[in-house]
Amino acid sequence: MPRRSDAPLGLTASLGAAFDPEAFRGEGRRLVDLLADYLARAQAREGLPVLPAAEPAEALACWPAAFEPEPSGVSPEALFARVVDGSNHLHHPRYVGHQVTAPLPLAALADLVAALLNNGMAVYEMGPVATAMERRVLRFLADALGFGADADGVLTHGGSVGNLTALLAARQAKAGFDVWRGGTGAGPPLAILSSAQTHYCVRRAAAILGLGEAGLVDVAVDERFRMRPDDLPAAMARAWAAGRRVIAVVASAGSTATGAFDPLPEIADFCASRGLWLHVDGAHGAAAALSPRTAAKVAGIERADSVVLDAHKMMLMPALVTAVLYRDGHRSWDAFAQEASYLFHGPDDSWTDVGTRTLECTKKMLSLKLYASLSVYGTRLFGDYVAESFARARRFAQRVRESPDFELLVEPECNIVCFRLAPPGVQDLDALQARVRERVLASGAFYLVQTRLQGALWLRITIINAATTDDDLSALLDALRAASRDEPAPSGETASAR
Ligand SMILES: *Cc1c(COP(=O)(O)O)cnc(C)c1O
């Protein structure tokens, strides 16, 4: 144990010890060693289940609530080691679950810096570096999307908040009355057009915006779950018939369940002809713009009024960091058309006080991890990651199609694949998927999810860990087969992964 320096003036002895720089240095070094060892084990697929099996009550019992009034002698290292052991291991190449990435270790270090410096950023003075970096990162993303010089935006905490923020701006811009000051009652009821494949947070945002559940009007999808632009006029007519004024169309790029990309050029044409706001929920897939190999997926995105992109999905960042980008940057002040003069002094559209344009007042130094990673590794790494993940999904889908005992829901458009086991003679296919998934999860060999589509249960994977190989995905099919035959699942620790 390193010697504690003297308690700074005004602190109790235990506060002094807690802030001791030498203790921090020692703990930090041990902690980085612990995390580096974890990374090595996870990436080697050794001695580590993907998701350690634990019932919620068991997990609760592991973490007693009996905090003592005095320092306990608990070693931070031992505590963090238990956190690592009990967590879902996204860095294990056989994690193919929800759309949260295995982040770049450097970005995790940047988050540590952000946590210690704790620059809140609502006003420039509370985060000068992070504010400047945010501006640079947003410019990079705006350029990648093909937005012009007028584009601007903010970083915020997650796609759900990002979609709400953009739709607040859309409402203020397109309602035809000042909803911010007068409330939704000051004009006719409003509506947003969107497909049933849209992420649930958009429905939630519509309700928060005061549109009510009926304020989100469904547009039909095609056989590949993409919005059908030819149904937009009818959807608009349905909204009118219900006495609603349509303000916006929300398109998905790609959708959460199947990764479908809505046809943006046609939707943008419709929005332009009717004077509607086009919002693209690109939380998952807008990053396709980062590679020339995948950019065609989001052709037309440069015509959107606003775009949301989650960097914790396809840009290798730790959660959360989301970009909300506006083609016309001035629109970004419409989202929160409110003044808080005790905080914000600058001219109305000064870029420096980001709190005028975010739901958050205090927010994390979100830009730091993105700026650091882009400047250290360069931009190509990100595009390659996106393109490789998409290509790996296509190869996996091909393998599923070639396997007589599996069924592919739809050709994947990105790195999300829905498929299921369909061996001949099985009656209840839904029960089979649920059972094999549970078995494979319990074995610790893989983590994958399931989703209900077209009235049936499908297995769903997102190939989002940069270390996942084609062999890992072949092993997944084998593990699912074995589970369906009640055989013990192949171990998660196979050496043949490469
Ligand atoms: C993940 C996702 C969201 C929600 O984003 P969070 O960052 O989890 O809040 C919204 N839309 C789409 C299309 C998504 O994939």
Side-chain angles (χ1 to χ4, degrees):
M1 181 65 61
R3 201 186 67 81
R4 307 283 188 190
S5 55
D6 293 335
L9 214 63
L11 294 182
T12 63
S14 54
L15 269 168
F19 278 94
D20 181 68
E22 291 313 314
F24 175 70
R25 193 189 311 279
E27 272 154 20
R29 285 183 173 156
R30 286 190 293 275
L31 181 56
V32 168
D33 281 343
L34 174 87
L35 293 176
D37 289 347
Y38 153 70
L39 264 181
R41 273 194 300 148
Q43 287 169 185
R45 306 159 178 78
E46 276 165 16
L48 192 75
V50 181
L51 171 64
E55 293 301 321
E58 251 178 88
L60 205 54
C62 282
W63 301 101
F67 304 122
E68 304 295 334
E70 298 303 326
S72 61
V74 165
S75 126
E77 209 185 333
L79 187 143
F80 290 133
R82 290 177 58 216
V83 172
V84 169
D85 284 345
S87 293
N88 194 337
H89 299 121
L90 276 62
H91 282 98
H92 195 302
R94 296 187 173 188
Y95 170 93
V96 284
H98 289 289
Q99 305 145 271
V100 181
T101 198
L104 293 169
L106 176 70
L109 290 178
D111 254 3
L112 173 63
V113 175
L116 192 80
L117 296 177
N118 211 22
N119 276 211
M121 296 190 65
V123 293
Y124 175 75
E125 291 160 15
M126 284 302 288
V129 175
T131 304
M133 284 184 169
E134 174 161 330
R135 188 123 184 107
R136 296 305 192 199
V137 164
L138 288 164
R139 190 64 251 166
F140 165 73
L141 292 173
D143 288 343
L145 296 181
F147 278 165
D150 292 340
D152 201 350
V154 292
L155 295 181
T156 190
H157 285 87
S160 305
V161 172
N163 282 320
L164 174 64
T165 303
L167 290 174
L168 274 164
R171 187 185 68 174
Q172 194 66 3
K174 297 292 183 182
F177 57 98
D178 188 348
V179 192
W180 189 268
R181 290 199 171 66
T184 47
L190 305 173
I192 292 171
L193 310 183
S194 190
S195 92
Q197 294 299 313
T198 303
H199 192 272
Y200 76 87
C201 73
V202 171
R203 193 164 296 277
R204 206 177 253 192
I208 295 170
L209 289 166
L211 275 54
E213 293 235 303
L216 202 62
V217 176
D218 271 357
V219 184
V221 294
D222 66 14
E223 71 293 345
R224 291 171 62 181
F225 303 97
R226 299 171 301 193
M227 180 184 284
R228 280 181 46 188
D230 61 352
D231 190 46
L232 281 166
M236 189 141 178
R238 285 196 291 279
W240 277 340
R244 289 176 177 270
R245 175 179 295 166
V246 177
I247 55 171
V249 177
V250 175
S252 301
S255 69
T256 303
T258 67
F261 286 76
D262 290 341
L264 300 180
E266 290 87 343
I267 298 169
D269 286 344
F270 178 79
C271 288
S273 71
R274 308 296 177 102
L276 302 180
W277 182 286
L278 171 57
H279 174 64
V280 175
D281 179 2
H284 183 84
L290 297 173
S291 168
R293 289 152 68 194
T294 50
K297 301 273 179 198
V298 289
I301 201 166
E302 71 285 355
R303 296 173 64 192
D305 293 283
S306 54
V307 174
V308 155
L309 180 155
D310 275 357
H312 51 282
K313 287 180 175 163
M314 293 307 293
M315 283 192 76
L316 297 164
M317 290 296 115
L320 296 166
V321 50
T322 293
V324 186
L325 291 149
Y326 301 85
R327 181 165 43 84
D328 172 1
H330 289 103
R331 292 300 183 192
S332 106
W333 277 267
D334 284 349
F336 306 97
Q338 176 195 26
E339 287 156 330
S341 58
Y342 63 92
L343 273 179
F344 309 117
H345 311 285
D348 247 350
D349 61 351
S350 138
W351 59 271
T352 50
D353 295 335
V354 294
T356 50
R357 300 183 285 149
T358 55
L359 183 64
E360 299 96 328
C361 176
T362 306
K363 79 174 181 190
K364 257 181 105 164
M365 301 168 74
L366 296 174
S367 55
L368 181 53
K369 51 194 164 188
L370 257 174
Y371 188 96
S373 304
L374 283 163
S375 58
V376 171
Y377 297 126
T379 59
R380 186 170 316 147
L381 170 140
F382 295 88
D384 285 351
Y385 161 69
V386 172
E388 285 304 316
S389 307
F390 286 21
R392 183 151 289 123
R394 281 198 301 278
R395 292 196 296 271
F396 174 71
Q398 177 69 17
R399 201 170 289 239
V400 168
R401 241 188 285 100
E402 287 164 357
S403 307
D405 51 344
F406 280 95
E407 207 180 306
L408 183 71
L409 172 68
V410 60
E411 188 59 32
E413 287 192 54
C414 61
N415 54 331
I416 298 171
V417 189
C418 295
F419 66 106
R420 63 180 179 171
L421 257 173
V426 175
Q427 291 301 314
D428 191 345
L429 282 177
D430 283 6
L432 178 67
Q433 313 312 315
R435 188 159 51 85
V436 296
R437 189 185 89 92
E438 229 161 75
R439 286 226 175 102
V440 168
L441 257 56
S443 77
F446 288 89
Y447 180 70
L448 73 163
V449 299
Q450 61 189 30
T451 188
R452 189 161 279 285
L453 281 157
Q454 295 176 332
L457 199 62
W458 295 83
L459 300 171
R460 175 176 171 277
I461 64 168
T462 307
I463 303 164
I464 200 161
N465 179 323
T468 302
T469 63
D470 289 355
D471 284 349
D472 287 317
L473 298 172
S474 296
L476 170 63
L477 295 181
D478 289 340
L480 292 166
R481 281 189 187 108
S484 76
R485 293 192 297 256
D486 295 331
E487 291 165 10
S491 152
E493 305 170 27
T494 53
S496 65
R498 278 151 222 277

